[in-house]
Amino acid sequence: MVFSARTHLLCFDMDNSEIEKAVKGQALADHLDYHVGGEYEPLKTYFADEEVSFVGEEIPEAYDGWKMFFDEAVNFKGVGIGAVLVSETGQHDPISAKLRFSCTNNMVEYEACIMGLNLAIHISILELLVIGDSYLLVHQVQREWSTKNTKILPYLYHVQELLKGFTKIEFKHVPRIQNEFADALATLSSMIQHLDKNFIDPIPVRIHNQPAYCAHVEEETDGKPWFHDIKEYLTKGEYPEQANHT
């Protein structure tokens, strides 16, 4: 994201909270200016140069260890959070929840992160790369930004306590477009309207590489392909002795 020289000059006389507000305000102004000028086009869901600003923050495909993605979803139907742990072998362990209490967007992000950290501790993960699209949370947890927000401070202290359960833990910020799995989990939970209990059985997600009707064909016990009897009938004009006529 490119900021004006005037923005940089002002930052020297600001504390961390004021810098955050200035950066957010300038980013929003640049984004609106980019889209409002000229002919109208629908707004994009992320900043046009978002990926450019994350040079060096790409998550290595061959990262040797567990990764945790987390995200939140807030819409007119509710508030949901999601997290997914990804093992070294690519095994995904998702978790999600619906929030039924009043909270700000930043509080929801912390709820999602804490839920994922608790899951990682529960299954005895000691080294973890935590990945999220909350710029504020990542910098606060890494003690690069401070906060006096009385709603966020308890969350921040709680996260710092949870971090003591790991021998090695890193936080990385990525654009939302690279956080789709956790976002989908959070969105699913936020849309649920009839949740009258505190647990829903996990939803299995399978990979199907062929149409459903192919999987319906039963395997032949004699080791021959399923079309063997049909081929014999077309060739000889009669069914084999053990053929199934139904």
Side-chain angles (χ1 to χ4, degrees), residues 107-121:
M107 290 170 62
V108 181
E109 290 282 5
Y110 270 96
E111 288 282 348
C113 181
I114 289 171
M115 180 177 65
L117 292 176
N118 282 328
L119 177 60
I121 293 173

Side-chain angles (χ1 to χ4, degrees), residues 34-155:
Y34 174 82
H35 286 284
V36 171
E39 296 182 1
Y40 170 79
E41 293 182 3
L43 290 178
K44 298 180 180 179
T45 56
Y46 60 96
F47 289 107
D49 59 350
E50 187 176 15
E51 286 79 6
V52 176
S53 67
F54 286 91
V55 174
E57 291 287 331
E58 293 291 335
I59 306 304
E61 292 294 333
Y63 177 79
D64 186 20
W66 283 81
K67 293 176 284 189
M68 185 196 92
F69 294 83
F70 70 95
D71 204 0
E72 50 82 24
V74 180
N75 52 56
F76 72 99
K77 289 198 172 186
V79 179
I81 56 177
V84 56
L85 291 171
V86 184
S87 71
E88 303 96 323
T89 59
Q91 175 65 38
H92 286 57
D93 293 310
I95 184 173
S96 62
K98 185 179 181 69
L99 305 186
R100 284 186 166 176
F101 56 88
S102 178
C103 51
T104 66
N105 286 349
N106 290 333
M107 290 170 62
V108 181
E109 290 282 5
Y110 270 96
E111 288 282 348
C113 181
I114 289 171
M115 180 177 65
L117 292 176
N118 282 328
L119 177 60
I121 293 173
H122 178 70
I123 60 179
S124 302
I125 295 175
L126 297 178
E127 297 186 3
L128 184 66
L129 174 62
V130 181
I131 305 162
D133 55 52
S134 173
Y135 204 66
L136 187 70
L137 183 149
V138 170
H139 283 277
Q140 286 177 343
V141 170
Q142 295 183 130
R143 302 180 187 273
E144 297 170 346
W145 288 358
S146 62
T147 180
K148 297 179 180 179
N149 190 322
T150 56
K151 294 183 178 180
I152 296 300
L153 279 174
Y155 281 107

